[in-house]
Amino acid sequence: MSGAAIIGIGCTPFGRYQDTSVRREAVRSIHLALADAGVNWSDIGYAVGGSMSSGSADTLVSDLGLTGVPFLNVFNGCATGSSSLATAVHAITSGTTDLALVVGFDSHPRGAFAIRPEQLGLGQWYGSTGMALTSQFFALKIQRYLYEHALPTRLLTAVAAKAFRNGARNPNAWRRKALTEAEIDASMLLSDPLRQYMLCSPGDGACALVLCDADRARHYRSDPVYIAGTTVRTRRPGSFEVLSPSLSIHRGQSPTVDAARAVFALAGIAPGDVDLAQLQDTDAGAELIHMAETGLCAHGAQRELIDSGATEIVGALPINTDGGCLANGEPIGASGLRQIHENVLQLRGAAGDRQVPGPPRVAFSHVYGAPGLSGCTVLTR
Amino acid sequence: MTGRPIDPALMEIDADGLRLLGSRCGACAEIDFPAQRSCRRCGATDTTIARLGDRGVLWSWTVQRFPPPSPPYVPRGREFEPFGVGYVELPGEVIIETLLTESGAGRLWIGMPMRLIAFDVPAHCGEQATTFAFTPVDDGAGR
């Protein structure tokens, strides 16, 4: 097979850092990934990564060693990690390098993301009147989705409860306490129908991967994980995106639909073959929407899947096994790579208390970011 | 109504009240709001200003129950009060994101008829300015 494989992963605990810095954690995650792959920083022939608000990834070389490596900075919203991964895969499959490093990290202050409308081509009025808020957008999006597909609001509670249950089994998760559905329903209503525990919090985190040419993967380790496909897509007409003062009456598919279709075609794998999935769950509603938009189920079928326990770790289609963004928080640059880290652990059979039975052979990951782009990756054992 | 639009590109205000200004694409007829120089659907650059309708139906809604980060939000009073936000579909034109005058979750439902009104808010410079909002259509005598 010609392509790329993941031979090293490194992820440090997510949360809100007090006695460390996100840049220090980024360097630590890189050292973990290099050690996991059994290679040195000086062996890396190509590096790529990004963060939204913690500086340019290439500046980490001052801590890693000045090897002269080509290092690209990527920023693609919440799809930054996936986009960096796709870039590293291109570097390997084009023959640019045999070994590539991918890193994502970020740190955000407490509370909702502060948005500057003028940086997004929007007028000052949009922010001053109180509409420049990602949480508000997610509420408007899931409200419409629940209506169109006749789904009950209680599914949002069920998704959130699962996230915290899974996060409690993940030593790297920020939120490690399982919450009951009653506790979630008693949390503050922030933007109807979304409550406090149904929305992820901006936080701190860092994650890194080492990739190599697939043909050489077993030279490095006996259990490489292969990247069967990775894609990034931006929005087409009629998709419903964050920070949209208006929408077209001609409704269209979201970039997630395009990215997922493309990655399954590229991998030659059907959605039905997926053994577990990590989906962008900026809020509990996003997980519901993305289950269908990625092709993992039909629109409206989420109710039966969730009620039957299919999306639990021991179910037929485990989703967000590490607790997702709800339990890990969202450091934007690191989030997509956290999903890959989790899928690699699961495919290696090394996920400990939260290992999905199987063993799994196909893992899917999906990120969705502002202002309307999606990245999907299929990993195989 | 202050008569001073929060952004003159968004609306015109005259004796008849407030009208929103969008743009219509000369190539594919897509309507956008606020008006754009090129079409978001096809990229054509022959867009013209379109005065949009003032009636529609609620397409989605939420209630903003915590103060948005400020800046960019300009608080409307000393005490924060939750406010409604929605998307209103103007039939055959465009779906507009808008403030709602109604913030009672039990009184908002997708598909409810709405109409455009002028709504005064503090602008970033601190002075009052007129923006737009949608309000439930009252079919009774008050209409």
Side-chain angles (χ1 to χ4, degrees):
Chain A
M1 122 180 238
S2 74
I6 299 172
I7 52 168
I9 55 174
C11 188
T12 67
F14 279 34
R16 185 151 284 134
Y17 297 152
Q18 308 290 340
D19 49 8
T20 184
S21 73
V22 71
R23 295 177 60 83
R24 201 175 302 155
E25 292 305 297
V27 170
R28 200 154 78 85
S29 74
I30 291 171
H31 284 144
L32 288 172
L34 292 168
D36 187 45
V39 300
N40 297 312
W41 167 242
S42 56
D43 299 326
I44 297 294
Y46 191 91
V48 55
S51 83
M52 178 171 98
S53 51
S54 300
S56 299
D58 79 281
T59 60
L60 299 173
V61 297
S62 57
D63 290 297
L64 295 164
L66 304 178
T67 62
V69 66
F71 202 138
L72 259 64
N73 294 302
V74 166
F75 181 64
N76 253 2
C78 300
T80 293
S82 287
S83 303
S84 301
L85 178 65
T87 306
V89 169
H90 295 156
I92 284 173
T93 55
S94 67
T96 301
T97 183
D98 291 330
L99 275 175
L101 180 111
V102 185
V103 62
F105 56 102
D106 243 320
S107 174
H108 310 291
R110 193 180 295 272
F113 285 110
I115 289 170
R116 294 168 66 184
E118 59 275 21
Q119 289 185 339
L120 297 150
L122 297 167
Q124 214 151 17
W125 66 276
Y126 190 75
S128 68
T129 57
M131 292 196 277
L133 219 64
T134 53
S135 49
Q136 192 183 85
F137 157 77
F138 288 112
L140 289 162
K141 190 167 180 174
I142 189 60
Q143 189 88 292
R144 179 73 192 180
Y145 190 86
L146 294 174
Y147 168 82
E148 282 183 357
H149 301 287
L151 292 169
T153 309
R154 68 174 169 78
L155 295 180
L156 302 175
T157 312
V159 165
K162 171 177 66 68
F164 294 113
R165 212 158 40 236
N166 294 355
R169 300 190 195 184
N170 175 6
N172 279 343
W174 181 9
R175 316 283 189 202
R176 299 213 54 210
K177 183 172 172 286
L179 294 173
T180 64
E181 298 204 349
E183 284 171 312
I184 291 162
D185 283 339
S187 70
M188 220 185 330
L189 195 51
L190 294 181
S191 275
D192 312 44
L194 299 176
R195 295 180 178 276
Q196 183 183 357
Y197 296 140
M198 297 173 183
L199 280 157
C200 79
S201 304
D204 306 345
C207 201
L209 309 172
V210 175
L211 270 56
C212 75
D213 188 278
D215 289 334
R216 303 248 310 145
R218 286 190 182 272
H219 171 81
Y220 293 102
R221 64 183 308 137
S222 61
D223 58 351
V225 164
Y226 297 97
I227 301 173
T230 183
T231 57
V232 176
R233 290 290 185 275
T234 58
R235 60 205 181 280
R236 289 196 293 150
S239 68
F240 184 4
E241 306 301 345
V242 64
L243 306 166
S244 297
S246 73
L247 306 173
S248 175
I249 54 169
H250 307 288
R251 309 302 312 135
Q253 305 279 25
S254 87
T256 291
V257 173
D258 288 336
R261 271 190 199 145
V263 83
F264 283 121
L266 192 63
I269 285 172
D273 298 328
V274 167
D275 294 318
L276 80 150
Q278 316 297 329
L279 305 179
Q280 179 86 29
D281 61 334
T282 316
D283 69 292
E287 180 171 319
L288 285 182
I289 294 171
H290 295 142
M291 283 170 69
E293 287 188 347
T294 54
L296 295 176
C297 75
H299 289 289
Q302 295 96 329
R303 182 201 308 240
E304 196 193 327
L305 283 170
I306 290 167
D307 287 349
S308 70
T311 60
E312 301 288 333
I313 283 173
V314 295
L317 180 60
I319 291 177
N320 288 333
T321 50
D322 69 351
C325 291
L326 288 175
N328 287 280
E330 180 147 61
I332 284 181
S335 221
L337 298 184
R338 170 188 52 74
Q339 294 184 335
I340 302 290
H341 175 267
E342 172 67 5
N343 278 347
V344 170
L345 279 182
Q346 292 283 355
L347 292 173
R348 287 180 183 175
D353 287 350
R354 61 183 193 285
Q355 179 64 48
V356 308
R361 303 197 66 84
V362 177
F364 178 82
S365 66
H366 156 267
V367 287
Y368 168 84
L373 52 84
S374 176
C376 292
T377 306
V378 175
L379 301 182
T380 58
R381 201 151 55 92
Chain B
M1 180 162 59
T2 65
R4 208 171 35 251
I6 193 162
D7 186 334
L10 294 182
M11 62 185 81
E12 56 184 29
I13 297 173
D14 58 24
D16 296 332
L18 176 153
R19 289 298 284 264
L20 296 179
L21 302 175
S23 54
R24 179 180 281 103
C25 174
C28 77
E30 172 80 356
I31 293 182
D32 201 348
F33 173 82
Q36 303 292 326
R37 288 173 191 275
S38 56
C39 173
R40 63 175 159 191
R41 174 168 287 270
C42 72
T45 51
D46 56 338
T47 59
T48 50
I49 297 295
R51 296 177 91 227
L52 303 177
D54 61 357
R55 300 274 167 155
V57 292
L58 192 58
W59 189 83
S60 190
W61 64 270
T62 188
V63 179
Q64 179 61 40
R65 294 184 186 272
F66 65 92
S70 177
Y73 177 64
V74 180
R76 293 179 205 164
R78 212 170 295 159
E79 294 270 315
F80 175 76
E81 284 185 35
F83 57 90
V85 177
Y87 277 96
V88 170
E89 180 165 7
L90 307 179
E93 293 183 337
V94 64
I95 302 169
I96 300 273
E97 187 177 12
T98 179
L99 300 176
L100 302 173
T101 59
E102 177 61 67
S103 61
R107 292 188 294 276
L108 289 165
W109 44 276
I110 289 174
M112 75 188 293
M114 310 285 289
R115 70 182 169 88
L116 179 72
I117 61 157
F119 189 75
D120 285 355
V121 291
H124 71 277
C125 54
E127 291 181 8
Q128 291 288 114
T130 297
T131 189
F132 62 94
F134 276 79
T135 194
V137 169
D138 180 358
D139 285 326
R143 183 167 170 177

